[in-house]
Amino acid sequence: MECSAEDYENEEFENIFIKIICNSLDKSFRECKNNRFNVIDFLIISKLKENNLDFDYEDFLLIEGVELIIDRVSFPSNYKISKKVEDIIKNIYSVKWNFCNITFDITKYIERSEFNECCFTKDIFLQKSIPSINVKPYHENFIFFECVFEKDVTIGWETIGRLEIYKGLFLDCVFINNLKLFNTSFKFPFFSNSEFYSNTEYDDLCVYPIRYIKIIVIENCIFDSNFSINGIDLEKSTDKVNVKNYLSNLKSSMFIEDLCIKNSKFNKKFELKYSSVKNIDFDNSNVDGIFDVYKSSFIKAKFRKSIFKEFAAFEYVVFGDGKKENITDFIYTTFKDFSNFRNTKFKSGLNFSSANIKQEPNFLNTNINLVGTDRETLRIIKNSFEKNNKKIEASRFFTYEMREYRKETKWIKNPFRRFVLNANYVISGFGNNYVWPILILCASVALYVHLLIHQNEWVIKTLNLVNIIGGDRAVSWFDTVTYYANEGSKVIIPFNKLLEAKQGFEFISLLFFIWFGVLIWQTVVAVKRNTQH
């Protein structure tokens, strides 16, 4: 039976609601008794038939298996449950709310209730522990299934006490506003997602894969079971009927605006896979189990003073959006086991310089925006490749590291080092390009041969120019300098043999030979770095 708040005043609505309760209890009671009744049972049945709750129902409520099912009820905005109805809901074996629009505080009745595809239009404050009363299979042990919360949902107290929750809370739910968890110990997964999210607002065959949570705040919580907020693998799901066209336009199936985790501990596995998160702040929190954010995306990510004791998987994750202010930070973050960043993109750069690593991380096929990425981060990545014998990748990040080192070295403080770094950068890109030094070498040889062939001509032109500038005295000084330069060049081993046939051209030849040696060495280094196994 269906009823709506728009059709009845509060008193009339209460009468209809009691009738729904009586019909449901009558049906469930008959099924539990298997149509074998005593005198008291007949009295109860007669009362329920009359839609009358004025009977002693204490023993009735203790009967295992008696369920109250409330279907498709839209409660008035100012509705308040009567004491009789409240006593039944609080103490009955099980209450199932299906497809309801709930406008009142349900936390009093949450221990024995299940909410299936309900919509909650007011804030929910759950500030008491929830024991595990009825042991059920995993997916039936959640209180809220495919529900929509239009207002804030808060669990626990910010400053006092610690709650203990032994049941699952949210399965395939949507949060339009905030989900806040404070000072709570979760003994059962508080949140879970099945493969598809179905919604009765759509046709029966439609599968609606979107999960949405605006803001998640987790502070001072302990998770003794797996923590899992996952989307679905869209690549696999696009093969299924009725969802292929819909899913093909999606980038993710789980959307979170902000995820803030502080001073919390995850004693088992942490999963945030196939999800799209705008901002994640993971502060002073520890994960004892596997940490897995496979194929998720984060625009702004900050991990600070946190410890990952086991394998940390960041594979196929996309960080950032290309803006420098959204750089990914791992500040004083400790990885006690292997960490995997394979095929990960850091679109806004990476700050890994203050991370503590016990094993070398895997950055294979990682794409990093170098703008904003510091030299120490590049050095850590380079070393990780070197220790795993990935020489080509290590050479590539050595080049990136030297580029940052060149930027850090200032002309004023260390002009010679800056000159050497600039020369290396211009000639071969710090060993990354072997074509450019070969081209420079060919051009230098051509210039040297040209000068050698036309030696007498340019010497005469040079003397004439010196004479014009400074007269005979300048020419005399020029002759003296060139004489000593040429004679001095002849004594330098191993170039002295090469200079014997370069009479009057020894010093210039020496400079060219040194330059050729530099270019040849740059070419060898570049070829080696690009081809070494």
Side-chain angles (χ1 to χ4, degrees):
M1 180 180 294
E2 299 184 17
C3 61
S4 173
E6 297 177 355
D7 300 328
Y8 307 98
E9 299 294 336
N10 282 343
E11 184 176 349
E12 294 175 316
F13 177 84
E14 183 71 11
N15 293 332
I16 297 297
F17 186 40
I18 290 176
K19 185 176 181 180
I20 293 174
I21 292 174
C22 290
N23 290 341
S24 176
L25 292 177
D26 178 51
K27 181 180 179 181
S28 180
F29 183 61
R30 290 175 182 274
E31 291 176 352
C32 289
K33 284 290 186 176
N34 199 20
N35 291 323
R36 297 177 181 178
F37 310 114
N38 55 31
V39 175
I40 298 178
D41 294 339
F42 278 114
L43 178 61
I44 293 174
I45 291 174
S46 63
K47 290 286 187 179
L48 293 175
K49 284 291 186 183
E50 296 172 359
N51 299 322
N52 187 349
L53 297 178
D54 294 328
F55 61 88
D56 186 6
Y57 42 75
E58 291 186 2
D59 294 335
F60 170 75
L61 295 178
L62 295 176
I63 300 175
E64 184 174 342
V66 174
E67 290 185 335
L68 171 59
I69 299 177
I70 303 173
D71 280 338
R72 302 181 186 279
V73 177
S74 181
F75 292 91
S77 58
N78 59 345
Y79 177 72
K80 184 177 180 180
I81 293 182
S82 63
K83 186 177 184 307
K84 291 181 180 179
V85 175
E86 183 177 274
D87 288 341
I88 290 177
I89 295 176
K90 286 174 65 176
N91 298 289
I92 201 169
Y93 178 78
S94 175
V95 184
K96 292 185 177 179
W97 309 71
N98 300 324
F99 317 107
C100 295
N101 185 44
I102 299 175
T103 60
F104 53 89
D105 182 15
I106 50 88
T107 55
K108 298 179 183 178
Y109 327 112
I110 202 169
E111 291 181 10
R112 299 180 181 273
S113 292
E114 297 176 16
F115 300 88
N116 178 36
E117 296 191 45
C118 294
C119 180
F120 299 87
T121 59
K122 290 189 177 181
D123 292 338
I124 295 178
F125 297 93
L126 177 57
Q127 295 171 331
K128 66 176 183 177
S129 297
I130 301 178
S132 181
I133 298 176
N134 305 323
V135 180
K136 298 180 180 181
Y138 177 85
H139 282 92
E140 296 180 12
N141 205 36
F142 286 83
I143 296 175
F144 302 96
F145 175 70
E146 292 189 7
C147 294
V148 177
F149 300 89
E150 295 184 354
K151 301 296 183 180
D152 290 353
V153 177
T154 304
I155 299 173
W157 301 86
E158 290 191 52
T159 56
I160 59 173
R162 178 174 291 278
L163 305 185
E164 290 189 350
I165 296 180
Y166 288 83
K167 296 187 70 175
L169 294 181
F170 309 107
L171 178 64
D172 291 334
C173 292
V174 174
F175 298 83
I176 306 301
N177 279 291
N178 304 332
L179 171 61
K180 301 178 180 179
L181 314 178
F182 300 109
N183 291 305
T184 303
S185 294
F186 295 91
K187 308 298 183 180
F188 191 89
F190 91 101
F191 190 98
S192 186
N193 284 327
S194 55
E195 184 176 1
F196 289 112
Y197 175 84
S198 59
N199 192 305
T200 54
E201 295 180 8
Y202 300 86
D203 59 89
D204 294 335
L205 296 178
C206 178
V207 181
Y208 181 55
I210 296 296
R211 284 91 162 179
Y212 175 82
I213 306 175
K214 185 176 182 180
I215 298 175
I216 303 178
V217 177
I218 301 174
E219 291 188 15
N220 299 307
C221 291
I222 298 174
F223 296 85
D224 291 321
S225 59
N226 292 342
F227 178 94
S228 175
I229 302 182
N230 294 329
I232 60 176
D233 190 348
L234 298 179
E235 293 180 1
K236 293 182 179 179
S237 301
T238 51
D239 294 332
K240 296 183 179 293
V241 182
N242 301 321
V243 297
K244 183 175 182 180
N245 293 333
Y246 184 78
L247 291 174
S248 60
N249 296 320
L250 291 176
K251 293 182 179 179
S252 178
S253 63
M254 166 63 78
F255 293 91
I256 302 172
E257 297 280 341
D258 291 287
L259 174 57
C260 179
I261 301 175
K262 293 185 178 180
N263 305 320
S264 297
K265 186 176 182 181
F266 302 86
N267 290 324
K268 292 191 176 180
K269 191 173 184 179
F270 181 105
E271 285 189 346
L272 184 61
K273 300 187 296 185
Y274 310 112
S275 301
S276 178
V277 183
K278 282 190 176 180
N279 301 300
I280 179 171
D281 187 1
F282 201 95
D283 186 14
N284 196 32
S285 299
N286 301 335
V287 181
D288 288 353
I290 295 174
F291 180 89
D292 192 358
V293 289
Y294 179 76
K295 281 191 176 181
S296 290
S297 63
F298 307 92
I299 293 179
K300 176 64 178 176
K302 184 176 182 180
F303 298 86
R304 183 175 181 273
K305 291 185 177 180
S306 299
I307 299 175
F308 300 95
K309 289 187 177 180
E310 291 190 18
F311 175 60
F314 296 87
E315 192 167 1
Y316 287 102
V317 175
V318 178
F319 290 99
D321 58 355
K323 297 179 180 179
K324 187 177 180 180
E325 60 268 21
N326 290 328
I327 186 174
T328 301
D329 289 312
F330 289 88
I331 302 174
Y332 307 123
T333 302
T334 300
F335 296 90
K336 290 191 172 183
D337 205 331
F338 183 65
S339 53
N340 184 16
F341 295 88
R342 184 171 52 198
N343 298 302
T344 299
K345 296 180 180 179
F346 296 94
K347 293 184 175 181
S348 298
L350 171 64
N351 176 18
F352 206 73
S353 58
S354 58
N356 304 307
I357 51 177
K358 197 170 183 179
Q359 294 187 34
E360 295 301 327
N362 182 6
F363 283 96
L364 187 63
N365 296 328
T366 299
N367 190 330
I368 301 178
N369 186 346
L370 300 180
V371 178
T373 302
D374 62 348
R375 182 166 66 93
E376 180 63 17
T377 297
L378 297 171
R379 186 193 65 80
I380 292 173
I381 299 174
K382 178 201 69 176
N383 288 346
S384 71
F385 285 128
E386 286 182 344
K387 291 188 178 181
N388 288 284
N389 203 32
K390 295 181 173 63
K391 301 297 184 181
I392 295 177
E393 291 84 357
S395 296
R396 179 162 59 93
F397 277 91
F398 169 79
T399 301
Y400 299 154
E401 179 189 358
M402 293 304 296
R403 288 179 184 176
E404 293 302 314
Y405 183 43
R406 171 176 166 267
K407 293 178 182 178
E408 295 174 5
T409 305
K410 304 302 181 183
W411 278 107
I412 298 176
K413 293 183 177 181
N414 202 331
F416 179 74
R417 183 175 295 275
R418 181 58 189 262
F419 171 77
V420 173
L421 291 172
N422 280 357
N424 274 272
Y425 176 70
V426 172
I427 294 172
S428 65
F430 297 110
N432 190 49
N433 187 345
Y434 55 82
V435 176
W436 189 237
I438 292 175
L439 293 177
I440 297 176
L441 178 61
C442 293
S444 300
V445 170
L447 176 62
Y448 175 68
V449 172
H450 174 77
L451 293 176
L452 193 61
I453 294 173
H454 302 280
Q455 175 183 351
N456 294 331
E457 296 179 14
W458 71 263
V459 168
I460 293 173
K461 291 180 180 179
T462 304
L463 290 173
N464 291 335
L465 179 63
V466 172
N467 186 45
I468 294 173
I469 295 174
D472 294 337
R473 189 171 182 178
V475 172
S476 177
W477 275 102
F478 179 78
D479 288 338
T480 303
V481 171
T482 55
Y483 172 77
Y484 280 103
N486 289 327
E487 290 300 316
S489 302
K490 295 178 182 179
V491 301
I492 297 178
I493 300 175
F495 298 103
N496 52 355
K497 295 294 183 181
L498 298 175
L499 298 176
E500 290 179 355
K502 311 296 188 297
Q503 187 67 32
F505 202 63
E506 292 89 349
F507 181 69
I508 300 298
S509 297
L510 176 62
L511 295 180
F512 269 96
F513 291 159
I514 295 174
W515 176 239
F516 294 158
V518 170
L519 294 174
I520 292 172
W521 176 248
Q522 289 282 342
T523 303
V524 171
V525 170
V527 170
K528 186 177 180 181
R529 283 184 179 161
N530 282 275
T531 60
Q532 186 176 23
H533 178 63

